[in-house]
Amino acid sequence: QQLREKIASQKTHMANLPTLQSIVDETGFTSPGTKARAQLIKELSDNEEQLELLLECKRVAAVVRLQDELHPPQNSEDCRLSNT
C-alpha cells in the first residue's frame, strides 16, 4: 500500500512539472533540470517495476497455494534418503 501511495504521489508531482521535452528545449540535455526530471522518471519507473514484481509474487503464491489445496501431494512420507 505504501508503494502504491508513493507511486501516486510521484505521478502527481511529475504531472505538475514541465515536460522533459520542454526542459530540454529550454535548457539543453545536460542541464540540472533535465537531469533532475530524468532522475524522477527513473525513480517512478523503478517503483512501478517493484510494485509489479510484488503483485506478481503474490499472484504466483496464491496460484501455488490453490494448486496444493486442489491437488495435495500423494505421498506425504518423509524421504528415506534425507534421513540417512
Side-chain angles (χ1 to χ4, degrees), residues 2 9 11 13 15 25 27-28 36 38-39 41 46 48-49 53 56 58 65 68-69 74 76 80:
Q2 287 178 327
S9 173
K11 284 184 177 183
H13 178 66
D25 290 345
T27 60
Q39 183 62 34
I41 293 169
D46 290 347
E48 287 176 329
E49 182 178 8
L53 290 173
E56 184 63 11
K58 287 182 178 184
R65 206 169 29 254
D68 288 345
E69 289 174 11
Q74 297 295 321
S76 61
R80 293 179 189 204

Side-chain angles (χ1 to χ4, degrees), residues 34-82:
T34 303
K35 291 177 182 178
R37 178 65 183 227
Q39 183 62 34
L40 289 173
I41 293 169
K42 182 184 180 322
E43 288 174 13
L44 175 60
S45 175
D46 290 347
N47 286 335
E48 287 176 329
E49 182 178 8
Q50 184 179 1
L51 179 61
E52 276 186 52
L53 290 173
L54 285 170
L55 294 174
E56 184 63 11
C57 286
K58 287 182 178 184
R59 187 193 69 77
V60 168
V63 169
V64 169
R65 206 169 29 254
L66 180 61
Q67 175 69 19
D68 288 345
E69 289 174 11
L70 295 175
H71 306 285
Q74 297 295 321
N75 185 357
S76 61
E77 294 178 17
D78 291 335
C79 177
R80 293 179 189 204
L81 294 176
S82 65

Side-chain angles (χ1 to χ4, degrees), residues 19-31:
T19 65
L20 185 57
Q21 185 61 50
S22 66
I23 295 171
V24 169
D25 290 345
E26 290 177 21
T27 60
F29 280 107
T30 59
S31 73

